[in-house]
Amino acid sequence: MEPVDAKGPYDDENVFAKILRGEIPSTEVYSDEHAYAFVDINPQAPTHVLVIPRGRYRSWVDFTESAEDAEIAGFIRAVGKVAKSLDVEDPGYRLLVNSGRHAHQMVPHLHVHLFAGRPLGPMLSGGAVG
């Protein structure tokens, strides 16, 4: 699988669209009118959950430019609810959004990775960033 562009038309056949339609099974962690969260099938940490908006958005920019304010607020609140439900606030967790090829975005549907369960190291390889 190759990284994808953040721009362009939405692909209704991407894996997350299929998960939202129930065509591909997933292990649900959280669900509401704005978001769906599920366990990543290729976890990069002991806890690795993906949170996706229910709407058709390719990237963070697409989402923040196109979604209604209530949808944006609801999605961001959902990410917080997922973290709280997983009880990862202490000792900590990381949220990550990849957008575009240089960030190694693999699925052309906005998604937030939530990582927890072990020390996660620096944000970028090669050095610590504030």
Side-chain angles (χ1 to χ4, degrees), residues 36-86:
Y36 180 72
F38 55 98
V39 175
D40 193 294
I41 62 168
N42 185 27
Q44 304 298 303
T47 299
H48 185 174
V49 171
L50 298 171
V51 187
I52 61 176
R54 291 196 175 272
R56 302 168 72 243
Y57 306 104
R58 288 182 60 96
S59 68
W60 193 261
V61 169
D62 181 25
F63 179 63
T64 58
E65 287 182 345
S66 304
E68 297 292 326
D69 289 348
E71 188 175 8
I72 294 169
F75 179 72
I76 292 171
R77 283 193 176 101
V79 173
K81 289 176 182 180
V82 169
K84 185 174 183 175
S85 75
L86 295 170

Side-chain angles (χ1 to χ4, degrees), residues 4 12 15 28 36 45 51 55 68 80-81 104-105 107 112 114 119:
V4 299
D12 284 310
V15 65
E28 181 179 313
Y36 180 72
V51 187
E68 297 292 326
K81 289 176 182 180
H104 213 67
Q105 181 181 359
V107 178
V112 174
L114 186 151

